[in-house]
Amino acid sequence: MPNHPDVMEKLVSLCKRRGFVFQSSEIYGGTGAVWDYGPLGVELKRNLQDRWWKAMVRQRDDIEGLDTAILMHPRVWEASGHIGGFVDPLVDCSNCKKRFRADDPKIKGTPGEPDAQCPACGMKGTLSAPRLFNLMFKTFMGPVEDSAATIYLRPETAQGTYVNFLNVQQSTRQRIPFGIAQIGKAFRNEITPGNFIFRTREFEQMEMQFFVEPGSDMKWFEYWKEQRMKWHQGLGLAHDRLQFHQHSADELAHYARAAFDVQFDFGGSLGFQEIEGIHNRGDFDLTQHQKFSGKKLEYFDHAANKRYVPFVVETAVGPNRTLLAILVNGYREENVEGETEGRTVLGLSPALAPIKAGVFPLVKKDGMPEMAHKIADDLRNVFPVFYDDSGAIGRRYRRQDEIGTPFCITVDGESTTADTVTVRDRDSLLQERIATDKLREYIGQRIAE
Ligand code: ATP
């Protein structure tokens, strides 16, 4: 098993220094496990979300997009099992951060006492006393703060999709098998959050529910497993850092027929962790909503002249956690041949990089800044670029390497007469001379790869 170094501490500092991720409400001392995305972070996250949307919705005729509200009818959470299921007495281990039901037979000793032993990491005295815990954030709707007005912030986007299953199917006239995808915020009052943006209390999900005829579910489950792994590989995540983890019988949710996680090796002690879950949920969700709402959520198959409640294969991935994987995967420090100063590089795939090109005049005279400004303004119409004329050219290259900018365009003495510029590749460090009027095409092609 590869043992990648732990780069988390260095990344947290780079993310703050360069404007990827800031602690929420930092000037007040921060909010627990909540983070804000800075100018570069928001671009990177958006590129990631757009890529998912394109692969899951735009490029397919069998998946529809949806955007449902965060606040839903409270009965939704009774039907989904989040209200009943999320208020168990739980204990957590301060060492390995795992959480257990207080009545877990694998716990030896009394939780909260020094004799108690964590069933996962085996440490003694690290288990908290049992406490009732509901992962959902609760608030009130309207002016009266009583139990009748209680409402929850959704802990997943999927339920908004289930309750809209027929609205989407009927308005689009989709036939099974088809899917519904959405990207949106989710909130979980995690008791063991941490590892930077890995596990937070406010995060986003990109979830797709694929509705299939019962009996064809395992075929579709295998299909989606393969598709989703390919998608992660396409982000540029190293193949040896990705693996599947199959849920064993005691990990499986009671309604799930099969579940696999896509795991990424975050390095150090965190190691392989889930970034996406692929679940065969059977007909559990639609059946529950039928029961609790009293409304039928059946599909009518015209060709076969039969009605049924479809099964669901779900793919659920977090853009925040995947963004962390992308940063961890891309971070490297290296020496450059012939130079004394090393460099820090974020080896992001050009398609995801927040800034596609740095544009520099070699010196601030002889018409070079004017020409560089003109190039930057032109390119800015198609993708984000950054104009920089401050400091030595080597420094300017380093600043772009550190934020993952794949190309640096330099206007030099030859440029103003020959109408050409140099384009430096972040990874190979090779410089090519390109005609100014070919720049859009050249970079456009490289970032589409
Ligand atoms: P975990 O076991 O890590 O808590 P989960 O199995 O509860 O995750 P799902 O409910 O399957 O996660 O959610 C799908 C995806 O949403 C996860 O793979 C992860 O990328 C993301 N996700 C879930 N919880 C969080 C969180 N607290 N912070 C950031 N991302 C999260």
Side-chain angles (χ1 to χ4, degrees):
M1 196 180 282
N3 188 15
H4 294 280
D6 186 351
V7 296
M8 203 66 93
E9 218 177 289
K10 288 176 174 168
L11 259 184
V12 176
S13 126
L14 186 152
C15 281
K16 179 180 163 155
R17 190 160 34 84
R18 299 307 310 271
F20 281 92
V21 181
F22 307 124
Q23 199 179 7
S24 161
S25 321
E26 189 188 347
I27 60 167
Y28 287 97
T31 326
V34 186
W35 299 85
D36 297 335
Y37 287 74
L40 295 179
V42 66
E43 287 289 339
L44 178 55
K45 183 151 65 69
R46 200 160 280 179
N47 290 343
L48 184 61
Q49 290 172 331
D50 287 350
R51 201 176 165 87
W52 185 86
W53 194 257
K54 192 169 162 204
M56 301 297 276
V57 181
R58 294 254 165 91
Q59 290 181 331
R60 303 186 63 109
D61 61 2
D62 60 351
I63 300 186
E64 303 289 343
L66 183 70
D67 183 7
T68 67
I70 288 169
L71 302 176
M72 298 185 73
H73 195 286
R75 291 274 284 165
V76 166
W77 308 113
E78 287 174 40
S80 69
H82 284 91
I83 287 183
F86 274 33
V87 287
D88 296 326
L90 299 174
V91 302
D92 57 297
C93 172
S94 60
N95 179 48
C96 70
K97 312 287 180 215
K98 291 250 164 57
R99 200 166 55 223
F100 311 91
R101 291 173 58 97
D103 59 2
D104 190 326
K106 293 193 288 298
I107 297 177
K108 296 196 186 85
T110 315
E113 302 293 327
D115 67 319
Q117 190 178 11
C118 171
C121 70
M123 286 277 272
K124 276 195 169 171
T126 54
L127 291 180
S128 68
R131 45 189 170 201
L132 280 181
F133 202 77
N134 190 307
L135 277 176
M136 284 198 296
F137 282 94
K138 206 194 260 190
T139 185
F140 302 99
M141 188 173 256
V144 188
E145 295 193 2
D146 65 14
S147 60
T150 297
I151 196 142
Y152 300 90
L153 301 188
R154 68 178 176 199
E156 60 179 32
T157 61
Q159 300 304 325
T161 298
Y162 298 135
V163 300
N164 275 294
F165 162 64
L166 278 187
N167 283 338
V168 175
Q169 191 268 321
Q170 288 167 358
S171 59
T172 59
R173 300 171 62 230
Q174 280 281 2
R175 294 203 183 134
I176 274 179
F178 80 97
I180 305 177
Q182 69 168 318
I183 299 178
K185 288 264 183 177
F187 303 82
R188 292 183 193 172
N189 199 1
E190 303 273 8
I191 52 170
T192 54
N195 290 308
F196 192 29
I197 53 172
F198 178 83
R199 190 185 304 283
T200 54
R201 295 196 168 102
E202 174 175 343
F203 57 100
E204 280 160 283
Q205 290 189 311
M206 307 191 285
E207 296 197 295
M208 192 280 297
Q209 317 298 317
F210 204 72
F211 299 91
V212 305
E213 186 171 353
S216 66
D217 45 312
M218 280 317 289
K219 183 186 85 186
W220 283 108
F221 182 76
E222 290 304 325
Y223 169 84
W224 280 112
K225 244 181 81 187
E226 192 192 329
Q227 291 295 310
R228 297 307 304 149
M229 180 58 97
K230 278 197 194 141
W231 187 80
H232 286 285
Q233 291 169 344
L235 299 177
L237 297 178
H239 291 208
D240 71 343
R241 297 186 85 144
L242 286 166
Q243 70 179 23
F244 279 120
H245 164 76
Q246 179 172 15
H247 283 216
S248 59
D250 52 338
E251 276 175 277
L252 268 186
H254 64 94
Y255 52 80
R257 298 165 65 88
F260 272 77
D261 294 337
V262 176
Q263 293 186 330
F264 172 79
D265 184 356
F266 285 87
S269 57
L270 199 52
F272 276 100
Q273 296 291 339
E274 168 184 344
I275 52 176
E276 168 149 7
I278 299 140
H279 313 120
N280 179 347
R281 302 176 67 118
D283 61 2
F284 174 76
D285 305 276
L286 292 181
T287 307
Q288 284 292 99
H289 286 303
Q290 285 197 145
K291 213 189 300 171
F292 280 74
S293 69
K295 300 274 176 359
K296 285 253 175 279
L297 290 172
E298 289 173 341
Y299 172 75
F300 181 60
D301 181 340
H302 285 273
N305 195 29
K306 64 174 181 185
R307 275 177 203 285
Y308 60 86
V309 176
F311 277 16
V312 172
V313 175
E314 170 187 67
T315 71
V317 57
N320 315 81
R321 204 178 274 186
T322 308
L323 186 144
L324 181 62
I326 289 166
L327 293 174
V328 166
N329 182 78
Y331 185 92
R332 62 179 198 265
E333 291 169 5
E334 61 189 24
N335 295 319
V336 183
E337 222 184 288
E339 290 184 24
T340 43
E341 211 183 318
R343 64 171 191 158
T344 300
V345 186
L346 271 189
L348 307 178
S349 102
L352 291 173
I355 307 271
K356 306 303 183 196
V359 185
F360 317 141
L362 185 60
V363 286
K364 278 198 263 187
K365 57 180 186 187
D366 302 334
M368 291 183 217
E370 291 76 8
M371 184 171 173
H373 268 303
K374 207 163 148 259
I375 292 173
D377 289 345
D378 176 56
L379 294 179
R380 206 170 275 127
N381 288 311
V382 248
F383 40 73
V385 297
F386 186 78
Y387 176 90
D388 189 2
D389 62 9
S390 66
I393 193 82
R395 274 275 152 80
R396 287 182 255 166
Y397 284 148
R398 298 286 177 274
R399 287 202 285 263
Q400 294 306 311
D401 290 342
E402 198 185 42
I403 59 169
T405 306
F407 307 105
C408 287
I409 299 166
T410 305
V411 172
D412 57 16
E414 208 179 314
S415 302
T416 45
T417 49
D419 212 9
T420 57
V421 291
T422 61
V423 179
R424 168 194 179 263
D425 181 288
R426 176 197 67 207
D427 298 324
S428 69
L429 297 175
L430 293 177
Q431 302 205 13
E432 266 188 88
R433 257 206 121 75
I434 307 276
T436 312
D437 62 355
K438 291 275 180 300
L439 268 177
R440 266 194 189 204
E441 193 187 326
Y442 176 83
I443 296 181
Q445 261 172 12
R446 302 279 309 268
I447 61 179
E449 280 162 13

